[in-house]
Amino acid sequence: MKYPNAEEVRLGDQVRCWIGCTGIVVAAIDLDQYSAECARSWAYLGRGALIMTDQAGLIHYAEADEDIELARRA
């Protein structure tokens, strides 16, 4: 999965999902990258990324969303 600016979404990236909702990428399924907490238990989703947010909990994005933006690389 890629951000709107065409950069690859990677494990540990800090992102803004929408105004007031920030999070950390805990799984970059397309790259087969998973955090220790997430492990490979979410690999069955097949594609996309998982983002853990304080505001909305765990969110799965199967495809890039124009609102997601990279705040900082891990």
Side-chain angles (χ1 to χ4, degrees):
M1 187 172 109
K2 296 185 181 203
Y3 297 107
N5 67 2
E7 286 187 79
E8 196 75 47
V9 173
R10 295 186 183 152
L11 180 66
D13 285 354
Q14 293 182 6
V15 299
R16 188 181 90 171
C17 299
W18 59 81
I19 295 173
C21 184
T22 58
I24 297 176
V25 176
V26 294
I29 300 167
D30 298 344
L31 299 176
D32 200 32
Q33 298 176 339
Y34 302 89
S35 68
E37 301 84 24
C38 197
R40 290 186 47 85
S41 59
W42 296 97
Y44 74 91
L45 294 172
R47 64 182 180 165
L50 290 166
I51 300 172
M52 180 57 75
T53 69
D54 289 334
Q55 297 81 5
L58 186 63
I59 302 171
H60 173 238
Y61 287 94
E63 299 177 355
D65 183 292
E66 64 186 34
D67 292 333
I68 298 175
E69 59 184 55
L70 176 64
R72 189 171 67 163
R73 283 275 184 213

